[in-house]
Amino acid sequence: MATFIIARLTFLEALRRRILLAAFVLGVAFLILYGLGFHLMRNEAMPRAIETPRDALMSSGLNSFLVLAGLYAVNFLALAMGVLVSADTLAGEISSGTIQAVVTKPVHRAQIVLGKWLGFAGLLALYLVLMAGGVTAIAFLRAGYVAPNLLIGVALIYLAALFVMTLTLMCSSMLSTLATGGVIFGMYGLAFIGSWVEQFGAVLQNQGAINIGIISSLLMPSEALWRRAAFEMSPSVAQSLGFTFSGPMATISVPSPTMIGYASAYLAVTLAVAIRTFARRDL
């Protein structure tokens, strides 16, 4: 029960600090800009009605590209949201001394960490429903297009955001706020560059470059989860060719389903380390 009370307080704290308001306002601004871009680019690329099978294939490919480009931006924003809401939660309260008002209550420290994790997980779910739902609604209303396996793809984006939030929470239990932010964005940068190196390695058949990408994905699986999500939401023709768009560049090397299990286990271990570290820390 105490865990859910802390989760509710975490949610209310995000409301008080206007995190939800800022996310909602900027999210709506993003969707307006995306909708305008979707409309203009589709009009420019498909100026006439679909009359032949070739037109239909081109239209489907264009719609898939525009939707995945929008969801790529949503994926990045969800990861950033996961970092921003959790980086200061333990480190900030420890440094300011406000955590003393909580730990002196008859509440186990594990319940504090779990409650905050649940509260942030709820925030991320709401944010993702707004953003991914908005992108999907725009594509459907403008072009009648819905990405295949949409729920699986959005679930993988949510898993990536949860993982980054949990990793941030773990760092926040042992480091300062600034150090936590530096570590997380540094690891994201490694995963981002590693992903590019892996794709070039797949094109050039360079096993060393592919291995670099795999190692970076094992350290920080957020990019690998996005590439798997993009693959799941790509048309079956693209999947059969092993060539999908996943943002600024194409994906040639698609992560296997095993990576999903690995990321889930990594998340669980990270949360356990966060609980253990906070429970043993001298406050």
Side-chain angles (χ1 to χ4, degrees):
M1 179 60 74
T3 300
F4 293 106
I5 292 175
I6 292 174
R8 177 175 172 273
L9 293 176
T10 301
F11 200 89
L12 294 176
E13 176 66 10
L15 280 175
R16 187 187 68 79
R17 296 169 68 180
R18 299 182 179 177
I19 294 175
L20 280 182
L21 178 62
F24 177 78
V25 171
L26 294 177
V28 170
F30 165 82
L31 291 174
I32 292 174
L33 183 63
Y34 174 75
L36 183 61
F38 190 102
H39 175 74
L40 294 176
M41 284 187 282
R42 200 173 189 288
N43 278 356
E44 184 68 24
M46 299 293 296
R48 58 190 175 87
I50 297 173
E51 298 175 347
T52 65
R54 181 173 175 273
D55 291 342
L57 184 61
M58 287 184 61
S59 176
S60 176
L62 176 64
N63 291 332
S64 174
F65 172 77
L66 293 176
V67 168
L68 288 178
L71 291 177
Y72 175 78
V74 169
N75 176 69
F76 176 78
L77 292 173
L79 296 183
M81 180 66 72
V83 176
L84 293 175
V85 297
S86 58
D88 190 48
T89 184
L90 291 176
E93 291 180 8
I94 291 172
S95 63
S96 67
T98 55
I99 196 71
Q100 299 294 338
V102 180
V103 296
T104 52
K105 301 287 190 303
V107 179
H108 196 279
R109 290 189 183 186
Q111 293 175 314
I112 296 174
V113 177
L114 282 175
K116 289 181 176 295
W117 187 87
L118 283 175
F120 293 140
L123 280 174
L124 288 177
L126 280 179
Y127 183 72
L128 202 53
V129 166
L130 168 69
M131 301 297 284
V135 168
T136 302
I138 289 170
F140 180 74
L141 293 175
R142 177 60 186 83
Y145 178 80
V146 177
N149 304 317
L150 179 65
L151 291 180
I152 295 175
V154 173
L156 289 175
I157 294 174
Y158 185 54
L159 177 60
L162 274 184
F163 172 79
V164 172
M165 180 271 286
T166 308
L167 188 63
T168 306
L169 195 64
M170 184 194 76
C171 291
S172 181
S173 69
M174 61 182 74
L175 300 172
S176 67
T177 301
L178 286 177
T180 296
V183 169
I184 298 301
F185 282 111
M187 291 184 67
Y188 177 77
L190 288 176
F192 187 78
I193 294 300
S195 175
W196 280 53
V197 172
E198 182 179 354
Q199 301 314 306
F200 281 114
V203 172
L204 301 174
Q205 296 295 304
N206 186 315
Q207 190 58 44
I210 294 174
N211 290 339
I212 289 175
I214 293 173
I215 292 172
S216 68
S217 295
L218 292 176
L219 291 173
M220 184 73 163
S222 56
E223 278 295 299
L225 288 173
W226 159 248
R227 282 189 282 120
R228 184 70 202 183
F231 175 78
E232 295 289 347
M233 293 186 286
S234 295
S236 56
V237 174
Q239 290 185 2
S240 62
L241 294 174
F243 178 87
T244 60
F245 287 103
S246 58
M249 67 180 300
T251 292
I252 308 297
S253 177
V254 180
S256 71
T258 305
M259 178 57 73
I260 302 173
Y262 171 79
S264 301
Y266 194 169
L267 186 155
V269 170
T270 302
L271 181 59
V273 172
I275 292 172
R276 183 180 176 85
T277 303
F278 183 69
R280 295 190 168 192
R281 180 166 178 175
D282 184 8
L283 303 178

